[in-house]
Amino acid sequence: LLIEGVYMQNQKGIISLCSRENIGKLLYVTVFLLPLTTWFYIPLVIAFLMSIYRMYAVRQVEWKAGSLCEVGAAFLICSFCSVINSLDKIFSIFNWFFLPCMYAILYMLIVSYLDTIKKKKKLLLCFLGAAAAVAGYGIWQYIHIDYMIAHVINQEWVDTKEFPHLYRRMYSTLENPNLCATYFLIVISYVGAFFLFEKEIKNKVILMGIGSVATLCLALTYSRGAWVSLLFILFIYASIYDKKIFTLFTLVPFILYFYEGQVVLRFLSLFSTHDTSVGMRFTLWANTLDIIKDFPLLGCGWGTFYLTYPMYDSLVKDAGILIYHAHNMYLSMIATIGFLGAFSYFFILFGHAWYAWRLYSTVTNSFYKAMGLGTLAAVAAISVNGIGDYTLFSVSISMCYWSMMALFMSCYVDISHSTEPKEQDSMRQ
């Protein structure tokens, strides 16, 4: 009896340690660390193990994945099956566990354990806190011109013949400027949405400040595709929230006409093939189409595009250059996991936009409406940016993006279960 009593006491202590609140705290830490360091895996894995033990102890399944769980399962199956065609099956399996599986775990934990508006707001604050850290370090980095010039030249992020005066491109804690730009697109999507629905002047000023700094950082990445995507974010706001926002588009030609600088030249180079990065993309896309023709069903193998591509481009093979993706999200996914896997992936991507619209058009609570509008804007930005690049290839960017999609889905799950809070229409809390 004494031994059984001690065991039961220990069981209660462990269950208390693995409480929903503690799992939520680990998720806050995870989301904060996502754009800063790969150490985010530690709190994420601990939270996952705690959730497993908790369900074992209480004899109840607590995991939820939202309205797209079946399609998500189909994507995981298809991406794993693509390993059959991989040139390095061990690497593909390892990569599959550390990317798609971890995306799914983070997504599921957020949907399952952030079940109150207070918890959702805390996660959003952690996301914005990380954005402030990324922006702060990026600005510090940008100011130190000698270090920046050396890094830009070494990484060959700029066609120096086409842009001889472009010495700096912000990348902050992310791996390169295009990834940094995508990250700030996600940040701007949600900050802008919450700014539109915020009632308190103080909070509105804070959100405006965050949005302005994020937009400045986005501009300093000199990522042309991200600039175009930013216009689509404004388009979403204008077409759904207030058509007066369309007047902001009239500023674009004035900026292009009066501003003499590398931003304008960089933007206009989108419509020219003189820039080697633009011409390179056309070559990449043509060769990727050949890969798709050879591997239409399962793709060339998850995570091993860089091994397959040299077989279709002799110049790259001879130069020993590694091409990790096709610089096009749509072609990259089809080439990697085939048409079936890509269909499930894009069903998930655009499915969030569909449910975001349903959330936005159904609820009256301003937090939920802002999450719906922000998700619509984020999906639009990623979809447009994905035409000229595949930045979700990055672990940090994908984790940040899918964590926000999960936060949105947790809101949609609340509404689908008729648990919208009966509080006054304010985000003050």
Side-chain angles (χ1 to χ4, degrees), residues 57-256:
V58 301
R59 301 291 192 274
Q60 181 180 351
V61 177
E62 296 180 334
W63 289 344
K64 294 181 289 186
S67 301
L68 294 166
C69 59
E70 292 86 358
V71 188
F75 166 72
L76 289 175
I77 293 171
C78 289
S79 56
F80 184 79
C81 289
S82 71
V83 173
I84 294 173
N85 293 330
S86 174
L87 294 176
D88 187 343
K89 292 179 174 54
I90 299 299
F91 174 79
S92 283
I93 294 173
F94 180 84
N95 192 272
W96 183 83
F97 273 109
F98 274 85
L99 272 70
C101 276
M102 286 299 172
Y103 301 158
I105 288 171
L106 176 61
Y107 187 100
M108 181 180 61
L109 291 178
I110 290 175
V111 175
S112 303
Y113 292 99
L114 301 186
D115 52 356
T116 67
I117 257 196
K118 185 177 181 179
K119 292 179 181 178
K120 293 174 176 56
K121 289 178 179 178
K122 286 182 178 179
L123 189 79
L124 186 63
L125 287 174
C126 291
F127 175 76
L128 295 179
V134 172
Y137 179 72
I139 292 172
W140 175 89
Q141 186 186 66
Y142 200 83
I143 292 172
H144 291 72
I145 186 169
D146 293 336
Y147 171 80
M148 178 66 74
I149 290 174
H151 210 82
V152 168
I153 294 175
N154 290 337
Q155 297 294 331
E156 297 181 347
W157 288 332
V158 177
D159 184 346
T160 53
K161 293 181 179 179
E162 188 73 13
F163 308 102
H165 302 295
L166 182 54
Y167 301 122
R168 292 180 284 183
R169 293 185 65 186
M170 183 180 291
Y171 60 96
S172 189
T173 58
L174 288 310
E175 297 168 23
N176 67 55
N178 291 337
L179 297 181
C180 186
T182 302
Y183 174 74
F184 282 115
L185 283 174
I186 300 169
V187 172
I188 292 168
S189 296
Y190 286 98
V191 169
F194 277 94
F195 171 81
L196 293 174
F197 283 98
E198 181 55 65
K199 301 292 193 301
E200 296 289 330
I201 299 298
K202 179 183 177 181
N203 292 340
K204 216 170 180 66
V205 171
I206 293 173
L207 288 169
M208 179 181 289
I210 296 173
S212 299
V213 172
T215 304
L216 173 63
C217 292
L218 175 64
L220 295 179
T221 63
Y222 286 87
S223 177
R224 295 162 291 190
W227 293 343
V228 175
S229 300
L230 180 60
L231 297 179
F232 275 83
I233 291 176
L234 292 177
F235 178 82
I236 292 295
Y237 292 161
S239 58
I240 295 177
Y241 180 80
D242 190 346
K243 290 181 172 53
K244 294 178 182 178
I245 297 176
F246 276 121
T247 57
L248 294 176
F249 286 91
T250 60
L251 299 175
V252 175
F254 287 99
I255 294 173
L256 294 178

Side-chain angles (χ1 to χ4, degrees), residues 30 96 141 211 213 225 254 327 339 365 379 401:
T30 300
W96 183 83
Q141 186 186 66
V213 172
F254 287 99
H327 284 273
F339 280 102
N365 179 272
V379 173
Y401 178 74

Side-chain angles (χ1 to χ4, degrees), residues 284-410:
L284 273 171
W285 297 345
N287 293 332
T288 302
L289 287 173
D290 292 334
I291 297 176
I292 293 172
K293 290 177 184 177
D294 290 342
F295 303 96
L297 186 60
L298 295 178
C300 64
W302 179 264
T304 54
F305 181 91
Y306 74 99
L307 293 175
T308 305
Y309 184 81
M311 301 169 60
Y312 295 81
D313 191 334
S314 59
L315 293 177
V316 166
K317 185 176 182 179
D318 294 338
I321 299 173
L322 294 179
I323 303 295
Y324 289 98
H325 54 80
H327 284 273
N328 178 292
M329 178 175 65
Y330 305 95
L331 293 179
S332 292
M333 289 305 302
I334 298 172
T336 303
I337 59 176
F339 280 102
L340 291 177
F343 177 79
S344 62
Y345 180 84
F346 293 119
F347 195 102
I348 297 169
L349 185 74
F350 296 112
H352 280 89
W354 165 249
Y355 286 113
W357 168 249
R358 291 185 62 177
L359 179 71
Y360 178 83
S361 58
T362 301
V363 300
T364 57
N365 179 272
S366 56
F367 179 84
Y368 286 163
K369 289 188 81 72
M371 281 301 302
L373 183 60
T375 300
L376 281 166
V379 173
I382 292 296
S383 302
V384 173
N385 194 50
I387 296 173
D389 210 342
Y390 178 32
T391 50
L392 290 186
F393 175 83
S394 163
V395 177
S396 296
I397 299 301
S398 285
M399 283 289 196
C400 288
Y401 178 74
W402 291 114
S403 67
M404 294 308 294
M405 292 299 107
L407 183 61
F408 152 73
M409 185 56 71
S410 71

